[in-house]
Amino acid sequence: MSIRCIKAAFAYLAIGIGLGVLFAFNRSLGPVWRPLHAELNLWGWVTLLIYGVAYHILPRISGRLLRWPRVAEVQSWLAIGGIAGGGGVARRPG
């Protein structure tokens, strides 16, 4: 579960960086795709990385397994899917 979140975080980071590079070459795309770029970098990269590290470290620090591993499993899939499905809808300003 932690590996899944960390892999998804790096995938979202790569896509977010790719959008940033695209903006560098074509500045007119910035206003349209900037919300998606921000969503992928903030929620995709940062949040999923935090989830992945927390799922790995917290049980080891506490010395106990997760109380509800199935809930954590569902949460990780919902977080990954929610970012992919609902993240940063690109709209034309105005």
Side-chain angles (χ1 to χ4, degrees):
M1 182 171 31
S2 63
I3 297 297
R4 177 186 321 120
C5 287
I6 292 171
K7 283 182 179 180
F10 277 104
Y12 286 130
L13 175 66
I15 296 168
I17 288 174
L19 281 173
V21 169
L22 187 63
F23 298 159
F25 290 113
N26 188 352
R27 292 191 180 263
S28 66
L29 296 175
V32 176
W33 293 100
R34 190 172 292 126
L36 178 61
H37 172 70
E39 178 92 12
L40 291 174
N41 285 322
L42 178 61
W43 295 112
W45 163 242
V46 176
T47 305
L48 287 176
L49 189 65
I50 290 170
Y51 290 161
V53 170
Y55 283 140
H56 180 75
I57 289 178
L58 290 178
R60 285 159 180 77
I61 290 174
S62 67
R64 294 180 282 160
L65 297 175
L66 290 174
R67 184 176 289 179
W68 298 295
R70 184 70 182 140
V71 172
E73 177 95 13
V74 170
Q75 182 275 331
S76 69
W77 281 115
L78 287 174
I80 293 168
I83 294 165
V89 177
R91 295 188 193 123
R92 290 216 175 263

